[in-house]
Amino acid sequence: MSIRRPPPAERAASRRIVAAFLTGAAGAVGFAVTYVLGGDTRWEGVTLSVAFAGLAVGLSQWGRHLVPTGGYVEEHEGFAPPPFEQTMTTRALTAPDSPVRRRGLLAALGLALTALGAAALFPLRSLLPFDRVRPVRARTDTPWGPGVRLVDAGGRPLRPQDVPADTMVGVFPEGHVDAGDGPAFAVRLEPGRFSRQPSGGHLDGLAVWSLLCTHAGCPVRLYLRGTGRLLCPCHQSSFDLLADARPVAGPAARPLPGLPIEVGPDGFLRAAGDFTGPPGAGFWSRP
């Protein structure tokens, strides 16, 4: 039995279908790459649209141009198809020139579906609890560490004399001024007034604590000079810096984590380690 060569119209349709499936596969790969590189939602939407559009166009073209159609009407549901319809269907599915058996089309469709399925696994990974302690670890590991210099908002390194007596100065880890869990503040108090030593220690009264309130993570910026008290403007939690920044009013339940500091060989203030506890909202520490 000789194999019938498809007419030019069918060959052109086959090429369009393959191109559509390959476009869908490229869109799926682009979605996966965009997700891995940071997840820009605009480009994720574009690439995912291209993936589904490629599949939709390829399948619609396949059904329109390569699958036999006819105006056949059955009198009643449930009757078996007429013999000529059965013969036509069998030929369409099993004949050597059947569009269903064209390897190029099936391979392109398989590639598009496989690429789309693989791309769907990337966002699925974010939903699975492979690491249940990740939020706690993320709050525990901050940009602070031994040797990291304390800088102001402009990135200028600070010396001990840059923190006047009874004055609050915002400080940040050098190179990570914009880090969300890095903001801290330095304040110089009279060492003899401490009823509880700062958890991070102090240098002749100079101590550093996290700037993030342990209730909801708001910045505690209101310092009441002379009292050693620090107030959170969001929910009015108050912290006593003379007692290691423990909360004395409001909903906060944890003291502000302290930051151990030292003076480096260059005379600038440096961290001697990370915060003594997770900075920010207290619910991150709950099991």
Side-chain angles (χ1 to χ4, degrees):
M1 178 179 179
S2 60
I3 298 177
R4 180 180 67 88
R5 180 177 175 81
E10 289 190 10
R11 294 199 300 270
S14 297
R15 290 192 292 269
R16 291 195 299 271
I17 295 170
V18 171
F21 286 156
L22 293 179
T23 301
V29 173
F31 172 81
V33 172
T34 303
Y35 186 87
V36 170
L37 294 180
D40 188 319
T41 54
R42 294 171 298 179
W43 285 109
E44 286 179 353
V46 169
T47 53
L48 201 57
S49 298
V50 170
F52 281 111
L55 283 175
V57 171
L59 291 173
S60 64
Q61 290 291 308
W62 196 340
R64 181 177 180 182
H65 296 289
L66 300 182
V67 177
T69 59
Y72 309 109
V73 179
E74 292 183 345
E75 294 293 335
H76 190 278
E77 294 183 1
F79 290 120
F84 69 89
E85 286 190 24
Q86 297 182 31
T87 302
M88 183 186 67
T89 302
T90 301
R91 173 178 171 75
L93 296 176
T94 62
D97 59 345
S98 170
V100 179
R101 301 184 64 180
R102 296 182 182 179
R103 295 182 179 180
L105 300 181
L106 293 176
L109 175 61
L111 176 62
L113 292 175
T114 301
L116 185 60
L121 297 177
F122 286 84
L124 181 62
R125 165 64 181 84
S126 301
L127 302 177
L128 298 177
F130 289 122
D131 187 356
R132 296 183 181 276
V133 300
R134 182 172 55 186
V136 176
R137 188 172 66 239
R139 283 294 180 178
T140 303
D141 298 335
T142 74
W144 292 106
V148 177
R149 294 198 298 184
L150 281 63
V151 300
D152 60 16
R156 183 178 65 89
L158 299 176
R159 301 177 184 273
Q161 56 267 31
D162 293 326
V163 183
D166 206 24
T167 301
M168 174 181 170
V169 177
V171 297
F172 305 87
E174 187 175 30
H176 300 277
V177 175
D178 296 328
D181 54 358
F185 67 91
V187 61
R188 186 183 296 277
L189 303 167
E190 295 182 15
R193 297 180 62 193
F194 285 128
S195 60
R196 181 184 299 176
Q197 294 297 312
S199 59
H202 67 92
L203 300 176
D204 194 23
L206 175 61
V208 179
W209 286 276
S210 170
L211 190 66
L212 304 180
C213 179
T214 54
H215 169 236
C218 298
V220 284
R221 296 184 178 276
L222 303 180
Y223 177 60
L224 306 178
R225 297 189 63 178
T227 65
R229 296 289 178 89
L230 194 63
L231 181 67
C232 175
C234 294
H235 305 98
Q236 287 70 56
S237 292
S238 181
F239 300 89
D240 186 359
L241 301 184
L242 299 175
D244 191 22
R246 67 181 182 88
V248 293
R254 288 192 302 126
L256 297 175
L259 181 70
I261 57 173
E262 61 187 7
V263 178
D266 53 4
F268 292 109
L269 290 170
R270 297 176 179 268
D274 206 339
F275 286 121
T276 56
F283 62 84
W284 287 106
S285 297
R286 296 176 184 173

